[in-house]
Amino acid sequence: MHRRLDYRTVTLREDGRAIRIIDQTRLPQQVVFCDLETQEQIRHAIYTLQVRGAPAIGVTAAYGLALAAGEIDARDRDGFMGQLADKKAYLAAARPTAVNLFWALDEMETFAAGLRYRDPKQMAADMLQRAREVEAQDVRVCRRIGENGLALLQDGWGILTHCNAGQLAAVLYGTALAPVYAGAERGYTFHMYCDETRPLLQGARLTAFEMRAAGIDTTLLCDNMAATAMARGDIQAVLVGADRIAANGDTANKIGTLGVAILAQHYGIPFYVCAPLSTFDPCCESGADITIEQRPGTEISEMWYKQPMAPAGVKLYNPAFDVTPAALITGIVSEYGVARAPYTHSIPALFAARKRQPV
Ligand SMILES: CSC[C@H]1O[C@H](OP(=O)(O)O)[C@H](O)[C@@H]1O
């Protein structure tokens, strides 16, 4: 029987006064729900990866700005929008790479600007309703990504994934794992190979946790073992998520994704990126335009060790993401279908499909 984690990664608390998340820094040992009530708690949760993954960050930001609007004390529209802009900038500073953070904040600000101005509390109530729609849309979108991605897979395949782009990276289904969930619901048997994904171990702590909970065959491997797994013929496809996709298809994703893509090309294994349209950034012409988050070196040298594992004084390099060039990407699976090279033509077609019939 196919099971999934039976809770949402991020949602609004019943009283509408806090964002309820799974604290992902406690997984896999403990499933702990955490309520984010203040802007400081929200930004801290995003920065420390209590909530993480581009779509989940976007939904959190949408609720965060709506809750922030409830703190505004303004006498007119200009006053309201001015204070809202300041609160938006505060949340935008949480992390720089996942475009969903900025997409969601822009969506909420644009929505507020389009409202007939009433008192701030009513504006905030309307924004909360819009944020609920952002959450509901994420569920629909990820479902569609699952369907579109499943069409690329065959029953019995070995699938390698990097980091976590599953339910814990979105609201319910995730992106790169959505085709795996869709297949499991139809009785497919996939053999999942999860890169542990140093330094923050999202693959070991989150993806392996999700896959076990869903009863899906799962093998955890160190990041330096992916080549051997491919060489042995264990892997028939690679599925990864994304944090920002440039107009030419270059894709920023968790550090190490580039290496997996190079290996996949070497072994002739299809490499698919799975992402909602909210992760595409037409303002980025290529991967060179994507800001890569640099995180504390202690995540490498101390986080998982009883004592620092590096000699004092050694430099620590900890980019949170890398960019996979479009040439290494077999296809980009979205809720509007699969884009293939040349991406400068196929990505606009996805946006045109959204214009015709939004999910
Ligand atoms: C479906 S987006 C998941 C994406 O986000 C992860 O980064 P982080 O854990 O730092 O938020 C990683 O790049 C995943 O592929």
Side-chain angles (χ1 to χ4, degrees), residues 75 96 212 237 280:
R75 283 193 295 278
R212 282 295 293 146
F280 290 68

Side-chain angles (χ1 to χ4, degrees), residues 49 52-55 95 163-165 169 175 202 241-243 253-254 321:
L49 283 78
R52 34 76 40 211
R95 295 183 75 188
C163 195
N164 172 260
T175 57
Q202 289 96 324
D243 292 85
N253 195 52
K254 184 52 49 191
F321 303 97

Side-chain angles (χ1 to χ4, degrees), residues 24 46 49 51-57 95 97-98 100 142 161-170 174-177 197 200 202 205-206 239-244 252-255 257 274-276 279 293 295 320-322:
Q24 299 190 36
I46 293 172
L49 283 78
V51 58
R52 34 76 40 211
I57 291 171
R95 295 183 75 188
T97 304
N100 297 61
C142 289
T161 190
H162 190 74
C163 195
N164 172 260
Q167 171 176 349
L168 291 165
T175 57
L177 298 187
T197 315
L200 292 179
Q202 289 96 324
R205 296 186 301 110
L206 308 178
L239 297 177
V240 298
D243 292 85
R244 194 180 296 241
N253 195 52
K254 184 52 49 191
I255 188 73
T257 303
C274 301
T279 303
E293 178 186 18
R295 291 187 66 87
F321 303 97
D322 56 24

